[in-house]
Amino acid sequence: MALIVQKFGGTSVGSVERIASVAARVKQHRDQGDDLVVVVSAMSGETNRLIALAREISDKPNPREMDVLVSTGEQVTIALLCMALHEIGCAARSYTGSQVHIRTDSAHSKARIMDIDRARVRADIESGRVVVVAGFQGVDEQGNITTLGRGGSDTTAVAMAAALEADECQIFTDVDGVYTTDPRVEPKARKLDRITFEEMLELASLGSKVLQIRSVEFAGKYNVPLRVLSSFEDSGAGTLITLEEEGVEAAKISGIAFNRDEAKLTIRGVPDQPGVAYKILGPVGEANVEVDMIVQNIAEDGTTDFTFTVNRGEYEKAREILERESAELGAREVVGDNRIVKISLVGVGMRSHAGIASRMFAALSEEAINIQMISTSEIKISVVVDEKYLELGVRALHQAFGLAEESTA
Ligand code: ADP
Ligand code: ASP
Ligand code: MG
């Protein structure tokens, strides 16, 4: 008998009919003898609806109250799922994050899980119940409700699996696994049977929202076997996220990620002196604006142009800071563009293969897509392009690297 943690995302519990079908799936699995802990998200659209309600009242809602508000979405689904399980004769009990004692730090809206009390959940499992836990939420040391960031139910599930030493954590969603890229953008995307934690982490952090980044970090750290599956169809084994297998040569490229949430800012004609990067980015960092890519070019006249990207939601804030700084820095001008996207190629096999970048740039140039910025690491290459080229760019790269076909590399 195994202990399995199963997580069902927003669309999987998006209506009472869907909740009933999740209940049927859970019962069927339970009847086979495994112990189950089920983590659920809010019904699809609910978290956005709650955020919009808060915005109608305040431009800057209090973070503590915001978490009290948005955590209610998951409380609705745990109760409804338990009721649906009871209706079909399956013993089950629901718990909010704070009832389980999913203890987090106090960083509202992006809290980190510190510790989980296993006792209560274990007692229920031992008495034969399915335990249904609200995703996305926890409680800090002072008893305040916290939330884990958008998509955080994935992290709740992996953390529960780690704490209970579960045999597997299964993430049920509206696709039947992790694909070579988002199948909504490239219908020819291919489902991967396996992907390494390292690659999945890179894909997630570069914008593939199929798993929340922290859930992958957590699974890697505690070695939790993690699987992505469809809740809509019985589609087989899904995608297993695993440690790198020795002896098996990795595919050069495992996937393409993209992020639409990007904006860039350039400060032009800054005197090229020591400390300039710090003077530009210091105030940006102090305002808690995260900077991603950075490029600096030196002009012949000895001045420098400094460009960086930020999250699109923080574009105005960052721009105001730069405009304030620019006079003091003696800069010529500040320009920006919040209609850009980032497209990234990911693959551990890049380490041992040359020429990937030039193939990437060739494929984009054949489609006349202008590359605005480039950044690389050992296992990824990212480019910034105009947002109108997102779909075209992703499909061109998917084609150029033969990702629709089974890899033979
Ligand atoms: P849930 O509500 O179940 O948490 P999400 O919307 O968060 O579901 O994640 C599933 C979605 O992730 C899919 O519908 C798909 O559009 C998107 N996605 C992005 N990149 C990928 C990828 N590489 N493989 C599969 N799905 C992806
Ligand atoms: N309901 C939360 C969100 O929409 C958490 C989740 O779905 O994982 O972000
Ligand atoms: Mg999700």
Side-chain angles (χ1 to χ4, degrees):
M1 222 170 56
L3 170 61
I4 312 284
V5 175
Q6 299 188 324
K7 178 253 169 180
F8 293 88
T11 38
S12 306
V13 293
S15 64
V16 282
E17 292 77 20
R18 291 292 316 152
I19 290 174
S21 105
V22 167
R25 185 186 279 272
V26 168
K27 177 168 193 294
Q28 192 191 11
H29 195 144
R30 173 81 193 116
D31 287 347
Q32 290 164 11
D34 285 341
D35 288 329
L36 295 180
V37 172
V38 178
V39 174
V40 283
S41 292
M43 295 168 81
S44 59
E46 179 63 6
T47 309
N48 288 343
R49 188 186 74 85
L50 294 167
I51 292 170
L53 279 181
R55 291 272 144 77
E56 278 184 43
I57 290 192
S58 164
D59 283 342
K60 249 184 133 197
N62 175 282
R64 180 188 183 279
E65 304 313 325
M66 200 63 191
D67 277 354
V68 172
L69 176 70
V70 295
S71 64
T72 60
E74 273 72 12
Q75 190 166 343
V76 171
T77 34
I78 53 170
L80 291 176
L81 178 59
C82 280
M83 290 173 194
L85 285 165
H86 298 162
E87 283 298 305
I88 52 176
C90 182
R93 215 175 235 184
S94 70
Y95 291 102
T96 63
S98 93
Q99 286 175 316
V100 176
H101 291 292
I102 297 182
R103 213 171 56 70
T104 70
D105 61 20
S106 302
H108 286 291
S109 87
K110 48 175 185 277
R112 279 183 180 273
I113 296 176
M114 318 293 282
D115 183 43
I116 292 182
D117 183 357
R118 302 161 191 79
R120 195 157 188 183
V121 174
R122 277 224 186 279
D124 271 313
I125 293 172
E126 270 151 32
S127 63
R129 294 189 185 98
V130 170
V131 177
V132 179
V133 176
F136 178 54
Q137 53 182 263
V139 62
D140 75 1
E141 199 122 41
Q142 288 76 43
N144 301 301
I145 293 176
T146 55
T147 62
L148 311 178
R150 298 307 304 268
S153 300
D154 296 334
T155 302
T156 305
V158 174
M160 289 297 300
L164 296 165
E165 293 170 20
D167 295 281
E168 190 164 288
C169 181
Q170 302 177 339
I171 306 288
F172 285 90
T173 182
D174 54 6
V175 281
D176 62 353
V178 177
Y179 279 70
T180 45
T181 192
D182 189 339
R184 287 179 211 278
V185 166
E186 171 53 289
K188 292 193 198 126
R190 178 173 52 86
K191 197 191 89 184
L192 302 165
D193 293 331
R194 286 162 170 265
I195 184 167
T196 64
F197 283 115
E198 195 183 8
E199 285 169 310
M200 191 63 237
L201 195 60
E202 203 73 29
L203 284 176
S205 63
L206 294 167
S208 297
K209 294 194 172 100
V210 60
L211 287 173
Q212 200 202 28
I213 309 167
R214 280 194 191 157
S215 72
V216 186
E217 268 169 11
F218 224 101
K221 187 165 167 197
Y222 295 98
N223 207 1
V224 176
L226 183 60
R227 196 183 287 280
V228 177
L229 298 146
S230 167
S231 70
F232 286 79
E233 44 192 289
D234 275 317
S235 54
T239 301
L240 185 65
I241 292 108
T242 59
L243 294 172
E244 206 163 332
E245 285 164 280
E246 282 182 30
V248 179
E249 200 197 344
K252 281 181 219 160
I253 304 299
S254 57
I256 301 168
F258 54 83
N259 191 352
R260 300 178 202 264
D261 260 0
E262 303 270 344
K264 72 169 182 179
L265 285 153
T266 302
I267 180 161
R268 290 216 180 109
V270 187
D272 185 30
Q273 290 159 357
V276 158
Y278 171 66
K279 280 194 195 134
I280 297 170
L281 292 182
V284 175
E286 274 159 34
N288 243 330
V289 174
E290 245 178 76
V291 170
D292 179 19
M293 288 187 189
I294 303 171
V295 173
Q296 187 182 358
N297 301 311
I298 312 292
E300 273 180 17
D301 66 1
T303 65
T304 179
D305 291 351
F306 197 92
T307 303
F308 59 92
T309 61
V310 296
N311 192 294
R312 209 176 275 192
E314 299 193 302
Y315 173 68
E316 298 299 341
K317 188 167 156 190
R319 189 170 179 141
E320 275 167 31
I321 296 170
L322 272 201
E323 271 161 8
R324 230 182 299 132
E325 296 303 311
S326 94
E328 199 187 314
L329 285 163
R332 202 163 54 239
E333 62 175 341
V334 172
V335 290
D337 185 353
N338 62 354
R339 311 195 63 166
I340 56 158
V341 293
K342 181 169 74 174
I343 304 178
S344 309
L345 268 183
V346 174
V348 288
M350 259 184 223
R351 284 194 184 118
S352 48
H353 291 86
I356 305 268
S358 62
R359 255 168 87 189
M360 180 179 191
F361 304 152
L364 295 171
S365 94
E366 270 162 37
E367 298 293 343
I369 299 174
N370 186 41
I371 301 171
Q372 303 182 13
M373 293 172 86
I374 300 168
S375 98
T376 63
S377 79
E378 246 196 327
I379 66 162
K380 73 119 205 275
I381 306 169
S382 300
V383 293
V384 163
V385 300
D386 190 302
E387 67 176 10
K388 68 178 181 233
Y389 296 128
L390 175 79
E391 280 81 7
L392 183 62
V394 168
R395 288 178 199 154
L397 294 176
H398 202 265
Q399 169 79 28
F401 287 91
L403 295 180
E405 296 92 48
E406 197 71 46
S407 169
T408 50

